[in-house]
Amino acid sequence: MKWWGLPAKIWMSCFILLPFLWLVLLSLQPTAASTSITTFDLHQFSRALTPPYSNIIIDSVAMSFLAALTVLAIAVPVTWSISRMPSKKKNLWLALFTIPLGLNFVVRIYAWFVLFRPEGIFSRALRGFGLDFAFVSSQFGVFVGLIYGYLPIMFLPLYSVFEKMERSQLEAAQDLGASTLQRWWHIIIPETRSGLFASFLFVFVPMLGEYLIPRMIGGGLVATLGTQIEGQFLGSGRPNWPFGAALSICLLVAAAAVLSSSFILLSRQKSEKSARWSIAHLD
Amino acid sequence: MSETLLSLQSISASMAGREILKSVSMEVRLGEFFSLLGPSGCGKTTLLRIIAGFLQPNQGKLLWCGSDATHLPPQRRDLNLVFQNYALFPHLNVFENVAFGLRMQKLPEDLVVSRVAEALSLVRMNQHARRRVTELSGGQQQRVALARAVAPRPKLVLLDEPLGALDLQLRKEMQWELKTLQRQLGMTFLYVTHDQEEAFAMSDRIAILNAGRLEQVASPEELYSRPASRFVAQFIGTANFIPAEKTSLDHARCLNSNHHFLLHETNAEVLPENYPINGDILVRPEQIILKKKQTEELKSLSGVIQMRQFLGATVRYHVELQGNHKRTLTIDQSSAGHEPIATGEHVSMLIINPSSSFFSESRLT
């Protein structure tokens, strides 16, 4: 018996496995009032997987996925350019970009609400230019809020990925005739692939369960998986813990599904490439 | 004289206000093995990066086959670089690493395959085509980097101290291989190194760079026997400077003895009435014959043995020169049939070089 695995096992059982089992048990309760551990049914799940809740789940997954992709698309050029700076400048810029992380999340999000509510200065300024759109209480507003809220979180993991990319490799590629676009496509993306993927997950998964941003910017009018779960557990109306537990498990399954399908996609791409290599060699 | 491939015209470069290259002009000929040799920090890597196109010179021009290529981007220069740390692509296997340049040229797949196979067999790595580059030893990575650089058949291959990370034995082997490969391919190699022996072992011509200035460009033989400056004389092999005075255009006399030298340096700047000029004669360690001192000899220098080192083929002596100008000389004697001389013994030294180089005192740095 190898004892050194024990701390990890204890941690897993106490803080992950047991609470999760409790969540599963809870989700199998037929009604909010019942506390039986002998009668189970899938009533809560059938409710979660039919409209309107099934639509909310799909919308949330789609929105988080798109928002995480957008964050990645913004963070990649920014962090790349920082990672290529001389080291003195690098630290300064990295600090500037991650300072928002030091501010309270609620304050940061509330600032958006203040600026973009109908009587806020940004909204008034935009109206002055003839642009009138509902930002607060709209799906779009929540989407932008998610991007803003999670952008600084993406910078650090992505930076550490790009930082490791050696200059000499890019120069070697350039020397062998690769243009900027070809260097990205053939060298940077393949070499940092797993890091890009991890950074994406780093924001996508918490976005999926996010309820502060939809609550504050959405003003209770934009329903996401996060706000629904929160409502079932802490809501001012009638809390329904078993239903909240079922929604949580749906969230977990959705996240796991996106994760595993991306993994499969990534590894298939890799094996296809290596198959091409071996064919090329055998000829 | 063969055709000029690359011509540098008064290239100057500075970084962060510090001058790194000072008006460097030289030519690399088609098909030669050319080395850039200099101590670390002399600017040779900067010069290499300017030739590859990663840096722009502040002043000067770079001519490629006669036309201006100073501002041509690296990907459009018909030359490939072998990096000091190899810079292989870790996500690609050996085959794909070597194929990279060919794929960038959009060559048809069957041509790519045959060119890669050819390049890999040149460096004896065709057995490892499917291996990951991260699984290879240093010497093998070196070979893959070389194959990757020659596979697209560039006009010029730049090598940035490529053997620096290898152990001595492997380095000697690779020197031989590089030279053979360059002959086989008929490509022009520009080799950057701080190792004088390495440059001598492979090069047709060597450029000596010191503190951003080009000291001399010549064949190894010429650099050794006719160095253009004290720096070159000391940097190439071991140099003994023996006090002498120059008495005419091609004549010098040793100050400690009655030795006379014929000079092959003909520096006509000096007016005849200014002779004699004080300075030093360059004498290489193997150009002196040591003898145990018996009687006072007019025509030889005398000294005292300070140390003896047995080096195998030669025995090296450190001898203190006696007389008005004391200094320590390094003298090599062939170990074949040599009778060892003990430390502390008085010896006489006979200089056997027929012609030599003279460096006046004013040039002493």
Side-chain angles (χ1 to χ4, degrees):
Chain A
M1 181 69 188
K2 286 175 182 163
W3 60 269
W4 53 79
L6 217 55
K9 282 172 190 161
I10 292 172
W11 176 273
M12 268 312 266
S13 336
C14 289
F15 298 111
I16 300 193
L17 211 59
L18 287 177
F20 181 69
L21 278 176
W22 183 77
L23 196 72
V24 172
L25 281 178
L26 196 61
S27 72
L28 294 173
Q29 299 298 318
T31 61
S34 72
T35 47
S36 151
I37 46 162
T38 47
T39 52
F40 299 124
D41 68 10
L42 291 171
H43 167 74
Q44 305 296 355
F45 283 97
S46 62
R47 191 178 158 207
L49 293 174
T50 46
Y53 293 104
S54 59
N55 294 338
I56 292 175
I57 293 175
I58 293 167
D59 282 356
S60 297
V61 172
M63 184 166 71
S64 307
F65 193 83
L66 278 179
L69 268 187
T70 314
V71 167
L72 191 68
I74 297 170
V76 162
V78 172
T79 31
W80 177 259
S81 62
I82 295 175
S83 78
R84 299 295 113 181
M85 285 176 180
S87 53
K88 259 189 192 169
K89 272 189 179 175
K90 229 191 269 200
N91 294 336
L92 176 73
W93 280 91
L94 197 66
L96 286 176
F97 272 96
T98 46
I99 274 175
L101 283 176
L103 285 172
N104 186 295
F105 194 65
V106 177
V107 173
R108 272 196 291 144
I109 301 304
Y110 193 70
W112 275 76
F113 175 75
V114 170
L115 293 171
F116 278 101
R117 65 188 163 171
E119 64 276 22
I121 39 170
F122 275 24
S123 303
R124 273 186 294 179
L126 285 173
R127 267 201 298 278
F129 288 112
L131 289 164
D132 193 8
F133 64 90
F135 185 83
V136 167
S137 305
S138 75
Q139 185 98 23
F140 177 71
V142 174
F143 181 72
V144 173
L146 279 177
I147 292 166
Y148 171 75
Y150 282 90
L151 201 50
I153 300 175
M154 174 78 96
F155 283 134
L156 283 173
L158 209 54
Y159 174 78
S160 72
V161 168
F162 285 151
E163 169 83 305
K164 285 191 210 102
M165 191 77 218
E166 280 175 47
R167 185 178 71 167
S168 65
Q169 288 209 8
L170 296 169
E171 287 182 345
Q174 191 180 9
D175 182 64
L176 290 163
S179 63
T180 310
L181 208 66
Q182 285 171 319
R183 292 199 290 279
W184 272 95
W185 187 247
H186 293 289
I187 306 294
I188 302 171
I189 293 176
E191 275 187 38
T192 58
R193 193 200 304 256
S194 51
L196 292 176
F197 184 55
S199 305
F200 173 80
L201 290 182
F202 208 68
V203 300
F204 169 68
V205 172
M207 268 182 185
L208 205 51
E210 179 60 46
Y211 67 92
L212 251 170
I213 295 172
R215 271 276 304 267
M216 294 180 72
I217 295 180
L221 295 172
V222 179
T224 66
L225 200 46
T227 58
Q228 291 309 304
I229 293 170
E230 189 233 354
Q232 298 305 328
F233 281 103
L234 309 167
S236 51
R238 278 184 300 141
N240 185 344
W241 284 27
F243 185 53
L247 283 174
S248 300
I249 288 169
C250 290
L251 174 88
L252 209 68
V253 171
V258 172
L259 277 183
S260 49
S261 55
S262 352
F263 264 128
I264 291 166
L265 217 71
L266 273 176
S267 55
R268 182 179 297 165
Q269 233 176 350
K270 257 187 189 167
S271 56
E272 260 171 29
K273 255 199 176 163
S274 47
R276 194 161 60 84
W277 292 332
S278 22
I279 290 164
H281 176 57
L282 288 174
D283 279 348
Chain B
M1 192 67 55
S2 54
E3 204 182 320
T4 300
L5 172 66
L6 174 74
S7 164
L8 302 181
Q9 298 183 339
S10 346
I11 295 278
S12 296
S14 49
M15 261 188 253
R18 206 167 63 86
E19 247 192 319
I20 293 176
L21 292 173
K22 295 161 193 160
S23 190
V24 172
S25 299
M26 61 178 209
E27 288 185 350
V28 178
R29 298 171 194 152
L30 204 63
E32 74 177 335
F33 198 121
F34 189 94
S35 286
L36 261 178
L37 177 63
S40 49
C42 70
K44 54 190 191 298
T45 301
T46 305
L47 193 56
L48 181 91
R49 293 178 66 78
I50 286 173
I51 295 170
F54 295 120
L55 278 178
Q56 294 289 319
N58 297 57
Q59 267 161 40
K61 257 203 223 166
L62 190 149
L63 297 187
W64 181 262
C65 298
S67 53
D68 191 353
T70 319
H71 303 291
L72 207 63
Q75 61 266 38
R76 292 185 45 212
R77 297 189 183 202
D78 191 12
L79 53 85
N80 288 329
L81 187 53
V82 177
F83 287 78
Q84 195 166 12
N85 63 354
Y86 318 138
L88 296 175
F89 307 127
H91 65 293
L92 300 176
N93 64 7
V94 169
F95 182 94
E96 285 299 320
N97 261 282
V98 178
F100 194 88
L102 304 165
R103 294 217 193 282
M104 291 301 115
Q105 291 179 3
K106 304 234 160 36
L107 295 183
E109 189 64 21
D110 51 339
L111 196 59
V112 170
V113 173
S114 68
R115 287 270 198 95
V116 172
E118 184 191 83
L120 283 177
S121 67
L122 273 174
V123 296
R124 296 185 282 113
M125 282 294 290
N126 33 2
Q127 297 305 309
H128 304 289
R130 276 200 249 169
R131 304 229 350 234
R132 297 183 65 87
V133 290
T134 44
E135 295 167 358
L136 303 176
S137 70
Q140 289 173 324
Q141 290 191 10
Q142 173 60 65
R143 290 200 172 91
V144 175
L146 198 59
R148 184 177 70 176
V150 301
R153 299 185 182 167
K155 279 215 175 73
L156 175 66
V157 179
L158 300 176
L159 302 103
D160 186 9
E161 309 219 18
L163 307 184
L166 306 179
D167 61 65
L168 189 66
Q169 192 63 38
L170 195 55
R171 208 152 67 203
K172 290 256 158 78
E173 269 177 53
M174 286 299 294
Q175 287 175 9
W176 184 254
E177 273 186 36
L178 272 176
K179 182 69 191 168
T180 316
L181 187 72
Q182 186 259 342
R183 285 251 175 83
Q184 267 180 313
L185 292 168
M187 272 178 198
T188 313
F189 274 32
L190 198 154
Y191 192 94
V192 170
T193 182
H194 66 272
D195 186 332
Q196 178 255 124
E197 263 181 65
E198 205 166 276
F200 268 47
M202 296 184 284
S203 315
D204 297 316
R205 289 197 308 147
I206 298 172
I208 309 278
L209 212 56
N210 177 36
R213 220 181 284 279
L214 196 64
E215 297 265 345
Q216 192 174 6
V217 184
S219 68
E221 292 83 357
E222 198 179 336
L223 285 175
Y224 190 74
S225 59
R226 302 176 65 173
S229 64
R230 273 177 196 269
F231 174 81
V232 175
Q234 279 173 313
F235 193 67
I236 304 296
T238 308
N240 291 311
F241 292 110
I242 292 175
E245 58 180 17
K246 189 174 181 176
T247 49
S248 71
L249 197 62
D250 58 355
H251 212 266
R253 192 179 67 84
C254 189
L255 291 181
N256 292 46
S257 71
N258 233 350
H259 265 81
H260 284 263
F261 297 94
L262 201 61
L263 300 177
H264 49 215
E265 181 194 41
T266 45
N267 188 352
E269 292 162 25
V270 182
L271 296 169
E273 59 265 32
N274 291 341
Y275 289 119
I277 306 161
N278 280 338
D280 293 294
I281 280 287
L282 168 70
V283 179
R284 295 293 184 186
E286 68 281 3
Q287 293 175 325
I288 302 177
I289 296 174
L290 274 185
K291 270 190 207 147
K292 277 188 200 169
K293 193 157 190 165
Q294 265 122 30
T295 53
E296 200 64 41
E297 287 165 77
L298 250 178
K299 272 206 77 166
S300 68
L301 300 160
S302 51
V304 179
I305 305 280
Q306 287 189 319
M307 196 165 74
R308 187 180 73 212
Q309 294 170 300
F310 180 71
L311 301 177
T314 55
V315 182
R316 171 159 290 190
Y317 289 95
H318 296 271
V319 182
E320 193 182 64
L321 185 64
Q322 302 293 295
N324 295 332
H325 303 79
K326 285 206 173 175
R327 55 185 73 179
T328 305
L329 307 180
T330 306
I331 297 165
D332 288 344
Q333 303 290 288
S334 167
S335 61
H338 175 72
E339 205 174 293
I341 308 170
T343 308
E345 283 222 47
H346 286 260
V347 286
S348 59
M349 295 171 272
L350 193 68
I351 300 168
I352 51 167
N353 56 329
S355 64
S356 197
S357 298
F358 179 86
F359 300 103
S360 65
E361 223 128 67
S362 59
R363 280 206 248 160
L364 223 158
T365 41

